[in-house]
Amino acid sequence: MRAIAVRGPGTPAPASMERVEAIAGRGLAGDIHADARSPRQVLLAGTVAYNTLALPPHSLRENLLLDLDTAGLSSGTVLRIGSRASLRLSFQCEACGSLDARVPGLTRAIGTRRGILARVLAGGEIAVGDPVVVLDVRVPAMPEDWRERVARVIEAVPAGQVIGYADLAHVAGVQSSYCRAFPRLLARLGPAYAARAVPARTNTSLARWDGTGFHAQAEA
């Protein structure tokens, strides 16, 4: 483990830390992305990307900087960090326009090497210098294609309930702006899917499911 950074609520940038507590099923203590329903609890970046592009610290806005190439890691892999904490890798993190605010042109230059997102499987303290080990176990992988992730969440909606677009995006791990693409995607997936996902202001007598437990089931 080369470096740790946590971004607190209301703060514009990650702050370096020597150690942090990983909370099972939630994320890193004090970090804005700690959320039980999200597959984007922790962002791991690799020193390979930093060295290749000669980037300043925190350019990729990662939580954990590892001395490896994260582009070679795959969803469903489990990493142990230190003696107790373990992470389930979710999917590669897309490069977004916010990266250009710190390093102009970085979004295009970084391509698919920004890092990989993860959820905390087992909690424990993580410290700079901790060993990182790829465990000989796997949990169900998540699709890299956001459309497939959205479909999987809809398939998990309990009978007689619906999920709102905002919750659907959150649980599938996509930006809220993707909600504009949901109607076209749902039309392509078919009526059975379209009936179970609704815009926020839709009047319906059906109970709304917020996705609680979706990720925990795969990790049990």
Side-chain angles (χ1 to χ4, degrees), residues 6 24 39 87 99 143 145 174 183 188 191 201-202 204 207:
V6 169
L87 306 180
L99 298 180
D145 190 321
V174 301
R188 192 185 73 186
R201 297 181 180 180
T202 298
T204 175

Side-chain angles (χ1 to χ4, degrees), residues 41-147:
Q41 294 175 351
V42 184
L43 175 57
L44 315 176
T47 53
V48 171
Y50 273 89
N51 295 338
T52 300
L53 297 174
L55 299 175
H58 303 312
S59 293
L60 302 179
R61 303 179 73 81
E62 75 282 352
N63 296 114
L64 307 179
L65 182 61
L66 311 183
D67 196 13
L68 47 72
D69 185 0
T70 57
L73 298 174
S74 60
S75 179
T77 300
V78 178
L79 301 182
R80 185 179 66 223
I81 303 178
S83 61
R84 293 173 50 204
S86 63
L87 306 180
R88 170 203 184 185
L89 302 188
S90 301
F91 44 84
Q92 296 291 330
C93 184
E94 69 282 3
C96 62
S98 64
L99 298 180
D100 294 334
R102 184 170 177 81
V103 181
L106 180 55
T107 300
R108 176 173 294 184
I110 197 66
T112 59
R113 296 172 295 168
R114 179 180 183 181
I116 192 165
L117 294 154
R119 283 177 54 87
V120 179
L121 275 183
E125 186 179 78
I126 295 174
V128 173
D130 276 349
V132 178
V133 179
V134 178
L135 297 183
D136 190 24
V137 296
R138 287 186 66 87
V139 294
M142 297 189 69
E144 291 290 339
D145 190 321
W146 68 270
R147 301 167 189 84

Side-chain angles (χ1 to χ4, degrees), residues 7-22:
R7 180 185 171 196
T11 58
S16 296
M17 304 182 71
E18 286 298 312
R19 59 191 70 247
V20 67
E21 187 73 17

Side-chain angles (χ1 to χ4, degrees), residues 9 13 15 23 28 68 71 91 99 120 143 155 174 183 186 206 210 215 220:
I23 304 171
L28 302 183
L68 47 72
F91 44 84
L99 298 180
V120 179
E155 289 164 2
V174 301
L186 293 171
L206 298 176
D210 67 359
H215 296 290

